[in-house]
Every structure is written in structure tokens, then in C-alpha cells.
Amino acid sequence: MSRFDPRGRVNRALVVGVSEYDHTAPDPQGVTGQLPAVRHNRTGLEDALHRGAVFGAGEVRVLASPTPDDFTGALRRACREARGLLLLYFAGHAVTSTSGNELHLQMRTARVLTGHGLPGSVSFSQVLGELAESRAEQVVVMLDCCYAGNAAGIWHRFDDPKRKKHKILLLMSVQPNRCILGGDADAPTPFTREVAHVLGAGGEVWLSGLYGAVKKRMAEAKYKAEDNDPQRPQALAPPWDSDDVLLAAGPLNPPVPVDGPGPSRWSARLRRALGAARKALGRLGRTGPAAVLVLLATGAAGYGLMVLIDDPAPCRPPLELRVLTDPDLEPAMRAAADAYLGSDANTTGDGCRHGGVTVYSAGASGVVTALGKRTDAWQQPREDDNPQRDIGPQPDVWIPGSRADVRRVTAAQEDRVFARLEPDTGPFAYSPVVLAVPEGLDGAVERTGRTLSQLVTGLVKAPGEAEVRRPDPESADAALLATVGLYGDGADAATAERLIARPGRPEPSAVGLLCSLPDTDAVDDRSAALVPEFLLRSGVGCHPATRAPRTAVYPEDVPGLEPTFVRVRWEDGDRDAGARDEEVDRFRSWLTGDEGRGVLGEQGFRSAGGERRLLDAEAAPRGLLDDVPPADAADPSEMDTALERYGNAHGPGRVLFLLDSSGSMAGLWDGPSGGPGILKQTLPGLGGEDEYGVWAVHGLGGRTHTGLLDFGTHARREAERALDAARVRDAEADPSAALLDALDFMRERAAADERPQLIVYLTDGEDDNRLAGAARDEVVERARTSGVPVVMVTLNSGACDRDRPGTLVAEAGRGRCLDAGDDLVPALRDEVARTGTGEDR
């Protein structure tokens, strides 16, 4: 490494501050106490990073008191997205193992059990593992917690054969084996206070300079750790004379702009400077000498003013607004909040901030449920019901992706409601939900005038290997609105869902989906994505060099995103209601005014009304339409119904395995590549709530199969024992009769719900002569109308060639044909996992 300047790269900062804990003393399993000072740590460091100008809009994410899953999920996301600098900051409780060889960062749910169990914690070794595998070129970790200095020893002991850990540099708040004081509720903790001060002071701040300045300031202030020990920050980094990292490069003293004869641009700054001067002059009589110099200069171009004050009055901590939004909207709302924080609208006459804005997101369906049915638990969290843990702090402002969400909340609210919603009369921006098709595949679909179901079906059936991907409808409104359209042509949910590619868990947001597709070029080139249109402009920062160009296709039956400003008022939350209302109104006026619309235009949004033109049409990226066809507004009941159907289609599944047990299978029976062994390898895709069974297929007359495993729920070991007991029969098989029986059997079970179903028929193909002619046609027609996908698996090559029986049956049932020419076991395992709820889900 040499001197690393990350400006202009894709950077990420993850600021994690755990100020609230679910379990604290006197609970014997609790941590020592709450950490209110960490609230100031979060806001102070976030502000300093923004002012430092190394991290751009949307590149700083703050996690307030996360759970371990929230933390690790956000860490993985930051590791995946960062290409330049990745900065991780943690403040909160931490403990070491009894040997001192491990440091455990304690998240919101942390407990300490007898025997040194530490649920709710994340080991620093795990954090190092994630950071070492990140795509960032350089990583800086800042720890403000007890035993922070122990992290250096863990770094040295970390097993790193590929030498990836050397890009990770550490800045620690205290020497090894020392605890620090938790501070109080009025100010940040000492280490973070000094870090934020140095980073936010202006000019270039390199890691070496930051460490030196913070160390000096802490020594001069004589900060103490526990037991009255001096608190000395630590660093683990290469020699500063050759290697360093730039962390801030903000302006020292930005000049006052002079815009011409009109006073509109400079008058606010003039008033601010004069106010500061008046305050300084007023202090002369109270506090003794102070140097105040006011210089006024006039000229043809306008006015300039400089105020030099020896003892400026400190700014009061600004009131912090909590803004909860949809996961897809979070980067755009962060960019807007960043611009607002430094705007004239948010600046007092003394140059201080009126308020701060913390933007965070949570799954849309969870937010709707919490605001509709769980507001009491939000105010008084319980172990089994804790929206503060699952979603975040009680919001002052909610910006959902659709105004329909407000009606979904009010329809769900019960007698005891502790939060009152006050939505604006309409949305402040608009973005259609589009099918973003890679260039080269866009010729297979028309840009407008088609339903989403028609577009997806046409794209999947077009020549090539096109796939359609969608984020999680339970997490983001855009994905749920797309699902409304996907189910809109009368298709059953299970059938419609099989048109969506699902390699593992879906991404929680369209932002994450667009950032993950370029991980593999081939996947990026063949994958159409259901995403909000605005992300085709703003959501590309994570992979600027490798992303496949995409064309927006506009389904006629999918409502668009309509972000709406909603004031949330909480019962007994009126201690500062007047000041909070004032800050909310100020932020709303800015966001919906010219400056806010300008930022939203840069993010790719359209006007909320009229012809819905792009707010920044001059910078419209290639692949978008200037005029978008109108779409109906989202309907709350349709959204709720689609969400329920989606849950059913991805809930506990049903799988019926048909295992050819005729005599010809004798040579393909034993071992992991034999029939029973292959089926055993699919069982991890099935969970305890899935229903499944196994039929042994044999016999030509009367009964065509016998049961190996009764249809129902099973422990995996029970299913494995049944397959181990399977035997080859001295008989032939009738695949057509067995398949007809299986289709009838599964159709009866699907009559009352839309749970995912699958039939798997595994054979050597020896008896395919009985799956021909009229018998084959009957099976194909039954498979086409049953709605149950059929996977035909043949242990010989060529069985999936065009017009072969297995191919025809699988295509009719919207399933898959696999033979020995495929990577058979992983492919079959994936098909079962898509239906079941086991380990692969």
C-alpha cells in the first residue's frame, strides 16, 4: 500500500453505534448498562464524515443499536459494494474471552450467560473475515469500546494465507485489556469526540494525522479509562512515511460566493455573519478581551464580508429527526438529507444547524404491520415483540414507497394505537416500476403496452437463457407492486413464481439486486430485473465498470412508486412537540421545494403529477423513455392479497418423489450417484414444515407403485432411512401411469391453497417406450393443466433432447428435464430447494 486517496471511487462507511440494549443490569444476564453517549457518537461521526468530502451521497450508513443479524447483513452489503475505501466504526459494549484471545462486539440483544456464553454478540475474528474478503482496496476499522486495543492481537493471529488482512488498518480507542467509561447523555465518548473534531475541522486528514492529533488531544485532556488509568488510543497500521489513507478533505474556510447585484444568494450568509459578530461584540463586556474584526467591502460586483472572531459561541446540539423509509428509497433519501443538512434552510443566522436528519430503512411489510398493529410494543418493547429491535427507533417521519401503505396501516389499526399518521395530500415524486432488460435481450419484448405477465413469459420463452429476477416483495414496495402485476392475469401464484429466478434468498432491495448481478458477467448479461426506474440512474455506483447496459420496459399493469411524506406522532411524545414540528415542517418544505426536487432529479425521479416528466430530463440516461404510460395507483387490498399469495407460494412446500425401482435400475442403484443416493442429496432443501413422500415405481397392471415414505412432514433422518431401505424390484415400470397417478394426487392437495408443489421422477429411461403415443399425450396434457411442475430426471444421456418424452412432460408442467449430460445433482437439489423451506432457503 502507498498513500491511498479514495476520492472518486466507490466508498462505503458503516457507522455502528449500540446505545440501547435489551438486557441490562440488574438482569444477571444483562450488560452493564445503556450507553446514551453513543447516540452522540453516531450523529457526530456521521456529520464529520459527510463534511470530510471523501464519502459521497449515500455512501455513509448509520446503524442504530442493531441486532447481530442486522449488523452482519449491513457489513456484508458494505463489503460487497465498496471498491475504494471501506470504513467500519463500532461503539458499544464489548468483552473478551476468558483467554483474552477474542473480542466480542455486543449488539442490542447481547446477554452474558453462565459458562461464558455470549448470545447477541459478534466476534471480531468474524468481522475480520468479512472485511478481508471485501472488494474494497483499503479498509479502516475504528473501535470505541472496552478492550478495543485487544483487536490488534486478534489481527496478528488471524489466519490469512492469502494475505488479505494487510489492507485492514485499525484505530482503537484504548490500550489492550482496559475498559473505558461509558460517558453521559450529553456528549460523545472521548475518543469519538476527538476523532469527529479532527475529521470535521477541514482540510486533508490522513489516517496518520488523525491518529497523531487524536492521541495528542486525548493526552492533553487527560481522559481516564476505568480504574483511573489514562486512556490512550492505539493504531495498527503500516509505517506512516510511505503508507497512509485519506479520510477527509473538506474545505477549511469556504469563501462567501458573490453572485451579482441581487441579494438573494448572499443575504442569508451576510445575516449569519453579522449575527455572529453581534454575539462576539456582546461578549466583550462579559468575558473580557476578545478579538473581533468585521471587514465590509463594496464593489461593482456586490458585497463581501469577513468576520474574524476569537471566541465564537458554540452551536447547540441540533434536534435530530428520525426518517424511516423503504429500502429502495434509502440511498435517495440519504442523498436528500445530506444536501438538506448543509443547506441555507437548515442553517441559523449564527451559522449553526437547525436540525439533523437520520435516515434508516426497514422491510416495507414489517413497517406496515408495526405501525398498524404493534405501536404499543414499539413504545414498550418485549422480548418476543420488539419493533425497536426489528425495525428501528420510533420515526418522526415515514416515507413509504406508496401512499397505499398509509391506507394499509390505517385499515389494520386496532383500538389501542400509540402512533397517529398525518400524510401529505399527495406524493412528492414518482418512479415507475420497470423490467430492466439487458441490451441484446430487449428485442424480445415491447417497451410499452403489455402486462408484466406477458412480458415475463415472452422474455423467458425467447431464444437464449434469459432470466427475470426480483427483490423480496416482503421487503420493498417496488417488488410487491411488481408481484401485483405478475399475479394480475389470473395465473396462480406458484406458477407465476416459477418464472422468477431464485438462486438462494432474494435480495431485500432493488439496490442490492442491481449491485449483486455484476458479480458474474454471464448472470448480469442474461438477467432482467424488476426495479424502480430511478435506480437505473442512481443505483449504479456499486459496479460502474462491469454493469450490463439495460433498457427500461414499462408494464402497463404495475403501479409506480409514489414516495409520500408522512408525519408520525407518538402518544406521550409531546415534550418537544413544538420544536419537532418546526423541524419536520422545515425539512418537508425543503424536500418538496426547488432544492429538494433538484436532488430528487439527480437521483432519477419524475414529477409526481401531470405528465410525469423526469425532474432532470437533461441528464436522463440511455434506455429510459421521456414519456411514460400512465399506470393505475396502487390498491391497498391488492397489495395485501399479493403479499399473502406470495407467502403461500413460498411457504411450506409439497414434493412427491417417484423413484424408478424396476429391474433395469440395478446398475444405477448403489452409492451417492445411484437413484436413492441422488434423492438423499436433495433432502437439505426440505424443512420440518414441508410435506413430501417417496413412491417406488414398478408394475404394469393395477397398482403402478408402492410407498417408500408416506406423504407428510418428516425429520431428515427418517427420510434417509426410508431411502436406504429401498430395493430394486424384479419388474418393469409404467412411467405414464405412475405420472398420471402422481398428478392427480398432488392436484387434490393443491385445491385449497397455493403452496409450492413439485413432482420429481427419477429413472434410467429404460421404460420410456410406455411414455409414448397416446399415453405420452395424456400425461403432457395433464401436466399442462395441473399447475404442478414436473422434473424429469434420467440417469442416461440424451433423454432431454428435443421431442424426447422427458422434455415434453417437463416443458408442459413448467418444470425441468435433467439427464446425465447435466450437472444433475446440484440442478435437482436447486429445484427441490425452490419448493421446500430447508437449509437452502
Side-chain angles (χ1 to χ4, degrees):
M1 186 188 81
S2 58
R3 286 173 66 85
F4 180 71
D5 184 346
R7 286 176 290 185
R9 303 173 188 244
V10 180
N11 305 314
R12 291 293 184 268
L14 183 60
V15 177
V16 182
V18 189
S19 52
E20 281 78 36
Y21 284 86
D22 294 343
H23 310 282
T24 58
D27 182 341
Q29 296 180 357
V31 298
T32 54
Q34 307 291 6
L35 296 173
V38 172
R39 299 174 190 166
H40 300 285
N41 289 14
R42 292 193 301 257
T43 56
L45 185 59
E46 180 187 20
D47 180 66
L49 292 173
H50 283 308
R51 284 187 282 127
V54 165
F55 296 94
E59 291 190 336
V60 179
R61 183 180 184 189
V62 177
L63 283 185
S65 303
T67 65
D69 286 346
D70 292 337
F71 168 73
T72 54
L75 178 61
R76 291 188 189 113
R77 174 180 168 184
C79 290
R80 185 174 65 239
E81 294 176 356
R83 291 296 183 275
L85 173 62
L86 172 56
L87 186 149
L88 171 64
Y89 166 89
F90 173 81
H93 286 301
V95 295
T96 62
S97 60
T98 53
S99 64
N101 289 334
E102 186 57 85
L103 177 66
H104 298 272
L105 309 182
Q106 295 181 292
M107 303 299 160
R108 186 186 192 112
T109 56
R111 292 183 295 147
V112 181
L113 305 181
T114 302
H116 310 292
L118 295 169
S121 301
V122 178
S123 72
F124 188 65
S125 293
Q126 179 183 345
V127 172
L128 283 178
E130 297 285 356
L131 295 174
E133 295 295 332
S134 73
R135 301 178 179 185
E137 190 170 341
Q138 193 65 57
V139 179
V140 173
V141 180
M142 298 182 184
L143 298 177
D144 192 358
C145 57
C146 291
Y147 308 107
N150 291 51
I154 297 169
W155 185 96
H156 284 294
R157 292 188 296 271
F158 185 72
D159 186 18
D160 182 34
K162 298 181 181 179
R163 294 185 58 82
K164 292 184 176 183
K165 73 179 182 182
H166 293 276
K167 67 181 178 181
I168 304 172
L169 311 180
L170 306 181
L171 196 60
M172 301 156 282
S173 63
V174 70
Q175 55 268 48
N177 302 316
R178 299 288 198 285
C179 273
I180 59 175
L181 302 176
D184 55 45
D186 298 324
T189 56
F191 172 75
T192 301
R193 179 188 314 164
E194 302 304 343
V195 167
H197 175 87
V198 176
L199 287 176
E204 289 192 352
V205 180
W206 295 79
L207 180 59
S208 60
L210 174 66
Y211 173 58
V214 169
K215 187 175 183 180
K216 181 175 182 291
R217 292 176 62 87
M218 292 186 70
E220 291 174 347
K222 294 182 169 56
Y223 292 123
K224 298 294 184 181
E226 283 191 354
D227 298 327
N228 209 34
D229 287 338
Q231 182 180 350
R232 300 191 185 98
Q234 309 288 303
L236 188 151
W240 298 125
D241 57 353
S242 60
D243 296 332
D244 216 339
V245 181
L246 183 70
L247 297 179
L252 281 168
N253 289 298
V256 177
V258 178
D259 300 322
S264 59
R265 294 287 300 276
W266 61 268
S267 57
R269 293 180 177 87
L270 177 61
R271 289 194 302 271
R272 195 178 309 148
L274 287 173
R278 283 195 299 270
K279 282 196 171 186
L281 288 169
R283 286 196 301 273
L284 281 173
R286 300 193 309 269
T287 61
V292 179
L293 174 63
V294 179
L295 301 178
L296 289 172
T298 64
Y303 297 85
L305 178 146
M306 185 191 309
V307 183
L308 302 179
I309 303 172
D310 182 42
D311 185 22
C315 295
R316 297 178 59 188
L319 188 151
E320 193 76 13
L321 293 183
R322 301 178 296 270
V323 178
L324 171 62
T325 193
D326 184 275
D328 284 339
L329 297 177
E330 183 181 1
M333 293 303 104
R334 282 183 178 274
D338 291 347
Y340 168 73
L341 290 178
S343 69
D344 287 346
N346 191 43
T347 308
T348 70
D350 298 328
C352 298
R353 287 186 176 182
H354 284 293
V357 179
T358 296
V359 177
Y360 58 105
S361 68
S365 63
V367 172
V368 168
T369 300
L371 287 172
K373 299 180 179 180
R374 300 170 61 199
T375 52
D376 57 337
W378 216 327
Q379 288 203 319
Q380 297 292 330
R382 303 188 298 268
E383 176 67 26
D384 61 336
D385 192 2
N386 189 345
Q388 290 190 22
R389 174 194 63 213
D390 301 336
I391 294 174
Q394 297 167 225
D396 302 301
V397 176
W398 176 37
I399 301 180
S402 171
R403 184 174 170 81
D405 284 344
V406 180
R407 287 183 283 165
R408 294 171 66 200
V409 168
T410 54
Q413 284 181 333
E414 300 170 347
D415 294 338
R416 289 291 290 161
V417 177
F418 294 84
R420 187 173 77 254
L421 305 185
E422 296 177 357
D424 283 3
T425 56
F428 56 82
Y430 176 78
S431 184
V433 177
V434 301
L435 184 63
V437 182
E439 291 184 359
L441 297 176
D442 47 354
V445 291
E446 297 183 40
R447 299 286 297 278
T448 61
R450 293 289 184 269
T451 67
L452 180 58
S453 181
Q454 290 170 337
L455 291 170
V456 171
T457 301
L459 189 63
V460 171
K461 288 186 175 181
E465 298 182 350
E467 296 178 342
V468 177
R469 297 174 186 253
R470 174 204 55 196
D472 187 352
E474 294 180 325
S475 179
D477 269 346
L480 178 55
L481 295 173
T483 304
V484 171
L486 195 65
Y487 297 169
D489 280 357
D492 67 277
T495 300
E497 286 297 320
R498 291 195 70 82
L499 297 175
I500 304 296
R502 291 188 66 248
R505 294 181 182 273
E507 289 284 349
S509 69
V511 178
L513 175 60
L514 288 174
C515 285
S516 65
L517 288 178
D519 288 348
T520 305
D521 289 342
V523 172
D524 198 25
D525 292 340
R526 69 170 181 261
S527 296
L530 286 163
V531 297
E533 180 201 48
F534 78 90
L535 289 176
L536 296 185
R537 173 174 181 180
S538 64
V540 299
C542 42
H543 292 279
T546 61
R547 177 175 304 283
R550 284 180 164 77
T551 298
V553 176
Y554 298 81
E556 66 177 7
D557 60 341
V558 176
L561 282 186
E562 296 182 313
T564 303
F565 197 99
V566 183
R567 173 72 165 104
V568 184
R569 297 186 183 277
W570 294 88
E571 185 174 303
D572 298 328
D574 53 1
R575 284 185 300 174
D576 60 354
R580 201 161 288 274
D581 281 345
E582 184 177 335
E583 296 307 322
V584 169
D585 291 342
R586 183 178 290 109
F587 180 52
R588 177 196 286 114
S589 297
W590 181 92
L591 182 64
T592 59
D594 290 342
E595 288 187 77
R597 286 168 59 85
V599 175
L600 294 171
E602 293 173 356
Q603 294 293 309
F605 283 93
R606 295 177 179 266
S607 172
E611 296 182 351
R612 295 192 167 165
R613 297 274 187 173
L614 286 162
L615 291 172
D616 187 7
E618 294 182 0
R622 178 185 174 189
L624 304 189
L625 293 180
D626 292 333
D627 298 313
V628 297
D632 293 336
D635 180 88
S637 62
E638 288 183 351
M639 293 174 73
D640 285 334
T641 299
L643 195 61
E644 181 180 2
R645 296 180 68 191
Y646 172 81
N648 289 337
H650 291 279
R654 299 185 180 102
V655 179
L656 180 60
F657 295 98
L658 277 64
L659 175 61
D660 184 353
S661 301
S662 63
S664 62
M665 286 285 292
L668 298 169
W669 196 257
D670 297 325
S673 60
I678 290 173
L679 295 189
K680 284 173 64 175
Q681 293 176 71
T682 71
L683 295 179
L686 296 167
E689 297 183 15
D690 297 317
E691 294 180 291
Y692 59 101
V694 183
W695 289 358
V697 176
H698 57 89
L700 300 180
R703 189 171 181 84
T704 61
H705 64 273
T706 56
L708 284 176
L709 180 69
D710 291 341
F711 197 85
T713 58
H714 302 281
R716 189 193 307 176
R717 186 64 192 128
E718 177 188 0
E720 290 174 343
R721 283 196 296 266
L723 288 168
D724 288 339
R727 296 289 182 267
V728 176
R729 309 298 179 103
D730 184 14
E732 296 185 355
D734 186 348
S736 60
L739 284 167
L740 289 173
D741 287 347
L743 288 164
D744 288 342
F745 180 89
M746 296 296 278
R747 183 175 57 186
E748 292 174 2
R749 277 144 188 82
D753 57 43
E754 293 181 293
R755 286 171 54 180
Q757 298 198 108
L758 184 68
I759 294 173
V760 175
Y761 183 43
L762 189 148
T763 179
D764 62 349
E766 180 72 19
D767 297 302
D768 276 1
N769 61 312
R770 296 187 181 89
L771 189 57
R776 178 200 60 203
D777 294 343
E778 184 179 4
V779 173
V780 167
E781 181 59 26
R782 190 80 60 85
R784 179 177 293 111
T785 59
S786 70
V788 182
V790 180
V791 177
M792 299 292 290
V793 183
T794 305
L795 302 182
N796 289 308
S797 299
C800 293
D801 293 347
R802 178 55 49 191
D803 296 329
R804 292 297 300 272
T807 303
L808 296 174
V809 173
E811 288 181 349
R814 294 191 177 184
R816 190 173 179 183
C817 186
L818 301 169
D819 63 23
D822 297 303
D823 196 359
L824 194 150
V825 174
L828 179 58
R829 187 166 53 232
D830 288 345
E831 292 298 316
V832 173
R834 290 183 65 182
T835 306
T837 60
E839 293 178 1
D840 295 339
R841 287 281 288 276

